[in-house]
Amino acid sequence: MTGREVVEQIAEEEGAGRQFVKWWRRADDVVDYDLIDRFVARAQPDEVIDGFELLDLEGMWEVLLSLDPDKLVRVKQDGEEVIKWIWQRPGGVEQTSTYPFSPEGIMTLFDEELFA
């Protein structure tokens, strides 16, 4: 299917709290995740996409856990739910970074930290 067809199908299926798209191409063995709005804005009409799935916030959280389960936790902080990412700095010093438990927070962690 093409990028144009995927965007049309997403428009038909979007809703029910789904904010993310998981999409893939078999030709180069790529599986990627993005916010639906960003994906739709960037999709090329003639781009070949072999499949997609829409995910909600909890579904994307499960994807993150499957990638790095020992380092990510959800906690309440100042009345808001946040993600704490615990990682090692060079020299073995433990560092904690905090992100809002939101679609944007998850994608920031996913794009800028885990796959930087």
Side-chain angles (χ1 to χ4, degrees):
M1 96 183 79
T2 66
R4 175 179 294 122
E5 292 167 328
V6 171
V7 168
E8 289 170 359
Q9 287 184 23
I10 287 173
E12 293 172 11
E13 294 181 32
E14 194 174 4
R18 295 180 287 190
Q19 302 98 346
F20 302 94
V21 60
K22 171 185 175 182
W23 60 279
W24 56 90
R25 292 187 298 241
R26 287 185 204 114
D28 52 358
D29 207 21
V30 170
V31 174
D32 203 357
Y33 298 85
D34 209 340
L35 293 167
I36 289 174
D37 293 342
R38 274 191 342 195
F39 175 84
V40 167
R42 294 178 185 170
Q44 298 298 312
D46 296 328
E47 177 180 14
V48 174
I49 298 172
D50 290 310
F52 75 96
E53 176 183 352
L54 300 182
L55 302 169
D56 62 10
L57 192 57
E58 290 297 329
M60 194 63 189
W61 171 247
E62 292 299 321
V63 168
L64 280 178
L65 288 178
S66 72
L67 298 172
D68 210 20
D70 296 331
K71 298 179 182 178
L72 299 172
V73 293
R74 282 167 56 181
V75 298
K76 288 278 188 181
Q77 182 175 306
D78 300 325
E80 300 289 327
E81 194 166 20
V82 298
I83 302 168
K84 291 203 177 251
W85 175 43
I86 303 159
W87 52 282
Q88 299 288 321
R89 296 179 84 162
V93 176
E94 191 172 272
Q95 179 78 32
T96 301
S97 299
T98 304
Y99 300 86
F101 185 71
S102 67
E104 295 78 14
I106 283 181
M107 286 312 300
T108 297
L109 177 59
F110 190 86
D111 289 340
E112 297 177 12
E113 302 295 348
L114 298 179
F115 294 100

